[in-house]
Amino acid sequence: MKRASGVLLHITSLPGAYGCGGFGEEAKRWIDCLAAGGFTYWQVLPFSVPDEFFSPYRSVSSFAGNPYLIDLNALRDAGLLTEEECQSARQGTPYTCEFARLGRERLPLLFRAAERVKDRKPVEEFLTKQGEIANFCRFMALKEQNGGRAWTEWTENTPDPEKVFAWGFIEYTFFRQWEEIHAYARNAGVKIIGDIPMYVSDDSADVWAHPDLFDLDSKGYPRSVAGVPPDYFAQDGQLWGNPLYRWDVMAKDGYAWWRNRIRATLTLFDGVRIDHFRALDSYWSIPATAETAKEGKWKKGPGRPFIRMLREEAGDALVIAEDLGDITPSVRDLIRFSGFPGMGVFQFAFLGDPHSLHLPHLYDENLVAYSGTHDNNTLLGYMWESSPETRRQILDYCNFDGDAWDRSYGHIIKTILASHAGIAIFPMQDLLTFGSDCRMNTPGRSEGNWAWRVTEEQIASCPWETLRHRNALYGRI
């Protein structure tokens, strides 16, 4: 990898006028800031439709885009929304995503825009070419006709063609608007890293359209579900509830569904992080009736044949293997076989193991180093909550004299930038030295996540010139 750096900030966390960040002009201004700071990469979370707890990691589709990201101003300029309709959708606060309000109001507004479309041919052609998106549109139309119930309980199976078109218009608009933002980033020299969740929701277009690929009973309900055993984040483990794949069935057609998924993702982005990569070696299988993840057991994943497929589809694109958690020698061996860079996380470096691979002096070039991920506390929150002994160890490690640890973040960032890691990435909260009230997600907690946003003023206050100097100093430009 060419030595470089980047910033982790999900697009919903951007400024904007309509309840969450999205594909408006604010995204282009953000890209300008990244370029000014000498950053090569912008890393985002999945663009998928979020679940009822607003998580993008458990979606109704692995292929469809989040309607909340659509820029309403562009629809107004195209004559599909009125100025009054846009004004009625304006947010009440710039500091958090207004997910509850978006859930009530945004889709009816987008459906109204769809009704005003005069030339339907571009949307219809789009759906003809995008089979999985077309599946999603039919799924969402049927879900509404069946009172919002899970697909396993449906009685109506003929979708309303107008609703299918409305969803098709939403997805067509989503991808067309993102193409413009992506092109702007390319012109600015900024590459965008997306994120692929390992699993999908049981009540999703993916499972509905391809039930044979998942471990389901005769009625379509999961027999076993995904999660992880007890770890640093949760003493009972994490019970995610996603249906598990039938890897043996997927192997028969060369993992065609996954191939399609990788291709679709690398059309949207310049690279991708594969979440929970270790499941490709072995995964935690939990009985669907279990109360906690403790009741699970390890099962063998698809291994090297799947990795060969990934390498074929990815080509020269950056693929990051999220190798966090309970990592065994066989997982390490699979990552080495893949050639993909793994992850080093500064916040995991000081848990008592003097040989931890998360210590920056042990980073190698084929690694992406983070001060923290979207699942971690912010750097300020982490330092605040660390014991005095751990805090002192961190300060000594980063060559920071004195006890004013709240002024140490520049030293920590420089330590990561100076490491051998090929890419260094920092959550925006860490560059702004924000506290734990600004963390993105707390694993194991279903509510109160994903809503943090940054304002235009806060972005402007970030020391972009200083960061550019540091990126240049450590050879990352």
Side-chain angles (χ1 to χ4, degrees):
M1 293 186 295
K2 182 182 180 297
R3 198 168 166 81
S5 63
V7 179
L8 170 60
L9 181 74
H10 191 36
I11 196 159
T12 58
S13 296
L14 284 174
Y18 299 110
C20 71
F23 299 156
E25 291 299 313
E26 296 85 359
K28 295 178 181 178
R29 290 197 288 271
W30 164 248
I31 290 167
D32 291 340
C33 289
L34 290 174
F39 292 102
T40 302
Y41 292 101
W42 172 18
Q43 184 170 342
V44 297
L45 305 184
F47 274 11
S48 50
V49 182
D51 69 4
E52 67 270 27
F53 299 111
F54 320 121
S55 170
Y57 286 91
R58 197 168 185 268
S59 178
V60 290
S61 172
S62 298
F63 295 86
N66 183 352
Y68 303 159
L69 304 184
I70 290 174
D71 178 30
L72 299 186
N73 288 341
L75 295 181
R76 178 200 61 200
D77 295 344
L80 299 177
L81 291 178
T82 67
E83 177 63 30
E84 292 73 21
E85 287 168 334
C86 287
Q87 287 297 326
S88 70
R90 293 187 71 86
Q91 67 198 17
T93 175
Y95 301 109
T96 60
C97 296
E98 298 178 334
F99 288 128
R101 182 184 174 197
L102 288 169
R104 294 191 306 269
E105 300 178 5
R106 188 53 48 88
L107 287 179
L109 186 61
L110 294 175
F111 289 157
R112 205 174 308 155
E115 292 172 356
R116 295 165 180 163
V117 173
K118 295 180 180 178
D119 182 7
R120 294 190 166 201
K121 187 174 180 180
V123 173
E124 292 166 350
E125 290 178 347
F126 169 78
L127 292 179
T128 299
K129 296 175 182 177
Q130 300 291 336
E132 295 293 349
I133 300 294
N135 283 339
F136 165 76
C137 295
R138 288 191 290 270
F139 176 86
M140 295 304 290
L142 283 170
K143 192 171 184 63
E144 181 178 342
Q145 288 171 233
N146 285 276
R149 294 189 300 275
W151 69 268
T152 50
E153 302 174 12
W154 289 355
T155 56
E156 174 61 57
N157 292 294
T158 303
D160 178 350
E162 289 303 309
K163 283 295 183 182
V164 174
F165 174 82
W167 276 105
F169 164 77
I170 289 171
E171 291 301 310
Y172 169 79
T173 303
F174 173 96
F175 286 98
R176 187 181 61 179
Q177 289 189 359
W178 174 246
E179 285 172 4
E180 181 179 337
I181 300 298
H182 194 185
Y184 188 90
R186 282 195 296 270
N187 291 335
V190 173
K191 298 179 180 180
I192 303 173
I193 302 172
D195 199 315
I196 290 186
M198 177 55 62
Y199 297 113
V200 303
S201 172
D202 54 341
D203 188 24
S204 66
D206 305 293
V207 180
W208 170 71
H210 308 281
D212 56 311
L213 302 182
F214 299 87
D215 185 21
L216 310 175
D217 64 21
S218 59
K219 296 181 179 180
Y221 296 100
R223 294 189 298 185
S224 55
V225 296
V228 291
D231 60 9
Y232 171 82
F233 287 119
Q235 63 181 4
D236 288 332
Q238 298 177 45
L239 180 57
W240 298 335
N242 311 77
L244 294 172
Y245 298 112
R246 295 181 62 190
W247 289 116
D248 57 335
V249 174
M250 287 186 157
K252 291 178 181 178
D253 63 4
Y255 306 102
W257 181 84
W258 267 98
R259 284 183 184 274
N260 195 5
R261 191 179 183 193
I262 296 294
R263 289 188 199 121
T265 302
L266 290 176
T267 299
L268 282 174
F269 308 110
D270 304 292
V272 64
R273 188 194 81 130
I274 299 182
D275 189 54
H276 198 52
F277 190 90
R278 66 105 57 240
L280 300 178
D281 174 75
S282 54
Y283 58 93
W284 192 244
S285 175
I286 308 165
T289 56
E291 294 185 4
T292 74
K294 287 182 178 180
E295 300 176 47
K297 61 181 179 180
W298 290 110
K299 290 190 175 181
K300 191 64 180 172
R304 292 190 175 197
F306 187 88
I307 296 300
R308 293 190 187 98
M309 177 278 294
L310 277 180
R311 291 194 305 203
E312 289 173 10
E313 293 300 332
D316 295 330
L318 173 66
V319 176
I320 302 171
E322 190 268 295
D323 54 349
L324 307 177
D326 184 7
I327 304 303
T328 63
S330 63
V331 177
R332 294 287 179 204
D333 181 64
L334 188 66
I335 293 171
R336 281 192 293 269
F337 173 77
S338 75
F340 302 146
M343 293 173 57
V345 181
F346 184 84
Q347 291 189 33
F348 296 154
F350 302 94
L351 299 177
D353 179 5
H355 306 293
S356 171
L357 296 179
H358 294 286
L359 285 161
H361 70 274
L362 295 178
Y363 293 166
D364 62 37
E365 293 181 4
N366 193 36
L367 183 133
V368 182
Y370 295 79
S371 55
T373 73
H374 65 274
D375 283 332
N376 287 102
N377 203 341
T378 67
L379 198 54
L380 172 57
Y382 165 71
M383 291 290 284
W384 177 267
E385 295 175 12
S386 294
S387 68
E389 294 77 18
T390 299
R391 197 181 299 140
R392 184 69 261 165
Q393 182 186 8
I394 295 169
L395 297 180
D396 290 344
Y397 187 91
C398 297
N399 195 30
F400 182 82
D401 295 327
D403 297 319
W405 57 266
D406 56 328
R407 301 178 184 176
S408 66
Y409 309 115
H411 285 252
I412 295 173
I413 289 171
K414 285 194 291 183
T415 298
I416 298 171
L417 286 171
S419 74
H420 285 294
I423 299 174
I425 292 182
F426 307 93
M428 185 59 176
Q429 296 95 315
D430 291 353
L431 297 182
L432 293 171
T433 65
F434 284 173
S436 59
D437 58 323
C438 295
R439 72 180 293 170
M440 193 64 170
N441 180 51
T442 302
R445 187 183 74 184
S446 60
E447 298 182 352
N449 296 315
W450 314 109
W452 178 76
R453 293 177 72 190
V454 65
T455 67
E456 294 270 19
E457 294 77 16
Q458 289 165 343
I459 291 175
S461 73
C462 189
W464 297 111
E465 290 185 10
T466 299
L467 291 167
R468 184 176 187 86
H469 171 73
R470 289 175 180 167
N471 276 320
L473 185 65
Y474 296 112
R476 296 192 180 275
I477 296 180

